[in-house]
């Protein structure tokens, strides 16, 4: 991991943690300071509205006090969840038997600010397909590694991973092997043809096409057939981050080859429910900046509280 990034993250966490410690130590005095100013604001507002001494004026003051209390609590919880301890619900069965549908887990949001993910880590990340949903999968391919699925097993650098079987699903299942991209690699995105004429026939402009590709993950192969990704000249899996850049989409439609030098590492993320998981086998790689945290502990349901391993 880049040293400058570690230093920046260290400074950030030092500052934010110091603020929380001060808030904890000075809780009563800070609370009183906020209360005085909140009440003064409420009094001024009620006076300007002409509700002094009226029941509605009292209601406004109580509403402001309630809103401030709830708002402060929500802000603190959101900061804690984003910076320290994430709270996630897993809606699907892609991680069965490790994580069951509707399980709630806490995620360590600090660890990947100072170290890189390791193989077998269960990560929470923002998926590269629609770019809005958080997925929970297991890291199984590391940057620069050769990965393949043969005989219902994952092979990494030609060595079989025997922790679980993986069915040859999706694009990876049909490929001889992929190379997981790493920082500094040269990635080429090679159109199978000039797609512009075909798109014109359907009367779809670039903006509409990009939106459609993002909203329909399976449409990449249909609308952009034979779109090929290579890393250092070797065919590999999809890097769907390119469809979130309108300029890249336009160049691809024009039949132009994209040549990109990667500034981040990428990972292969697979579900433990290997026969029924929408994962990297279908949609390619996860870049490091998309990874938000490491699944730490299941806290709901109560009868299955346990560490996530």
């Amino acid at each position: 991991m880049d040293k400058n990034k570690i230093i920046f993250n260290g400074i950030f966490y030092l500052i934010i943690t110091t603020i929380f410690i001060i808030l904890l130590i000075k809780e009563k005095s800070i609370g009183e300071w906020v209360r005085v100013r909140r009440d003064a604001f409420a009094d001024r507002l009620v006076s300007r509205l002409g509700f002094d001494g009226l029941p509605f004026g009292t209601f406004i003051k109580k509403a402001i006090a309630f809103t401030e209390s709830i708002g402060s609590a929500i802000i603190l919880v959101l900061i804690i969840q984003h910076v320290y301890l994430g709270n996630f619900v897993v809606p699907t069965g892609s991680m069965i038997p490790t994580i069951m549908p509707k399980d709630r887990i806490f995620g360590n949001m600090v660890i990947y600010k100072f170290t890189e993910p390791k193989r077998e880590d269960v990560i929470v990340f923002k998926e590269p397909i629609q770019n809005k949903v958080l997925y929970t999968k297991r890291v199984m391919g590391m940057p620069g590694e050769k990965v393949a699925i043969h005989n219902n097993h994952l092979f990494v650098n030609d060595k079989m991973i025997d922790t679980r079987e993986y069915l040859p699903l999706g694009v990876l299942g049909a490929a001889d092997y992929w190379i997981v991209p790493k920082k500094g690699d040269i990635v080429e995105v090679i159109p199978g043809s000039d797609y512009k004429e075909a798109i014109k026939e359907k009367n779809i402009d670039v903006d509409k096409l990009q939106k459609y590709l993002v909203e329909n993950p399976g449409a990449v192969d249909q609308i952009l057939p034979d779109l090929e990704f290579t890393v250092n000249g070797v065919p590999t899996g999809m890097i769907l981050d390119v469809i979130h850049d309108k300029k890249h989409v336009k160049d691809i439609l024009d039949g132009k080859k994209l040549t990109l030098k990667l500034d981040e590492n990428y990972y292969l993320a697979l579900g433990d429910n290997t026969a029924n998981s929408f994962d990297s086998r279908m949609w390619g790689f996860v870049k490091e900046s998309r990874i938000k945290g490491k699944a730490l502990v299941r806290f709901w349901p109560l009868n299955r509280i346990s560490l996530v391993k």
Side-chain angles (χ1 to χ4, degrees):
M1 178 173 283
D2 184 74
K3 290 184 178 179
N4 291 332
K5 186 176 179 181
I6 293 176
I7 293 172
F8 175 83
N9 289 333
I11 294 172
F12 171 79
Y13 273 91
L14 177 62
I15 293 172
I16 200 75
T17 301
T18 300
I19 291 173
F20 270 102
I21 291 174
I22 292 172
L23 288 174
L24 183 63
I25 294 174
K26 302 288 188 178
E27 178 186 1
K28 289 184 178 180
S29 58
I30 293 174
E32 180 62 19
W33 183 87
V34 171
R35 186 192 66 78
V36 169
R37 281 151 183 79
R38 179 197 67 203
D39 290 347
F41 168 77
D43 290 339
R44 288 196 303 271
L45 179 62
V46 169
S47 178
R48 287 184 180 182
L49 293 175
F51 292 123
D52 278 329
L54 298 177
F56 191 67
T58 302
F59 170 78
I60 292 176
K61 292 179 181 180
K62 289 182 178 180
I64 291 174
F66 176 79
T67 302
E68 182 274 320
S69 298
I70 295 298
S72 297
I74 290 175
I75 291 172
L76 287 174
V77 168
L78 290 176
I79 292 174
I80 290 172
Q81 289 189 356
H82 182 75
V83 176
Y84 296 105
L85 196 65
N87 176 0
F88 308 103
V89 60
V90 179
T92 71
S94 67
M95 284 297 292
I96 292 174
T98 306
I99 304 173
M100 305 300 289
K102 307 303 180 184
D103 279 2
R104 298 201 70 97
I105 60 175
F106 284 131
N108 182 342
M109 309 302 284
V110 180
I111 185 170
Y112 297 137
K113 300 295 190 298
F114 299 96
T115 186
E116 297 174 348
K118 298 179 176 59
R119 194 185 327 279
E120 298 283 350
D121 281 1
V122 178
I123 59 172
V124 178
F125 60 95
K126 193 174 186 180
E127 44 76 25
I129 307 150
Q130 295 178 305
N131 199 35
K132 62 181 182 181
V133 180
L134 291 178
Y135 280 5
T136 304
K137 308 290 181 188
R138 190 181 296 274
V139 171
M140 293 305 299
M142 306 295 291
E145 291 184 333
K146 174 183 175 182
V147 295
I149 295 179
H150 301 302
N151 301 320
N152 289 350
H153 279 88
L154 177 68
F155 285 77
V156 176
N157 293 338
D158 298 320
K159 294 183 179 179
M160 187 177 76
I161 303 295
D162 58 6
T163 49
R164 61 192 67 82
E165 291 188 350
Y166 288 94
L167 296 186
L169 304 177
V171 188
L172 177 57
D176 290 334
Y177 65 89
W178 285 353
I179 300 296
V180 184
K182 66 180 185 300
K183 183 178 179 179
D185 281 347
I186 302 299
V187 166
E188 293 182 331
V189 185
I190 307 170
S193 63
D194 185 340
Y195 302 114
K196 186 183 290 185
E197 292 303 319
I199 297 302
K200 277 184 178 179
E201 291 177 5
K202 298 180 182 180
N203 195 29
I204 302 176
D205 62 22
V206 174
D207 288 336
K208 291 180 180 178
L209 176 64
Q210 183 186 28
K211 182 179 179 182
Y212 184 79
L213 289 173
V214 170
E215 293 177 349
N216 298 272
V220 176
D221 288 335
Q222 299 170 16
I223 295 181
L224 306 175
D226 302 320
L227 186 66
E228 182 181 357
F229 292 78
T230 70
V231 56
N232 300 329
V234 179
T236 192
M238 290 185 289
I239 301 175
L240 288 184
D241 295 282
V242 298
I243 70 172
H244 299 290
D245 187 313
K246 186 168 66 175
K247 183 180 183 302
H248 290 339
V249 173
K250 183 179 184 303
D251 287 344
I252 291 171
L253 290 181
D254 290 341
K256 296 178 181 178
K257 179 176 70 175
L258 300 181
T259 301
L260 310 170
K261 184 174 182 180
L262 300 182
D263 58 1
E264 291 188 44
N265 285 326
Y266 283 72
Y267 296 85
L268 186 81
L270 303 177
D272 285 2
N273 185 1
T274 61
N276 188 24
S277 174
F278 186 55
D279 54 31
S280 284
R281 289 173 290 182
M282 289 76 170
W283 42 256
F285 305 110
V286 180
K287 68 178 178 179
E288 190 168 6
S289 61
R290 288 187 173 276
I291 301 175
K292 304 304 179 183
K294 179 180 180 181
L296 184 62
V297 61
R298 176 189 9 251
F299 67 91
W300 187 268
L302 295 177
N303 63 334
R304 289 193 293 110
I305 293 177
S306 62
L307 295 175
V308 177
K309 297 180 180 179

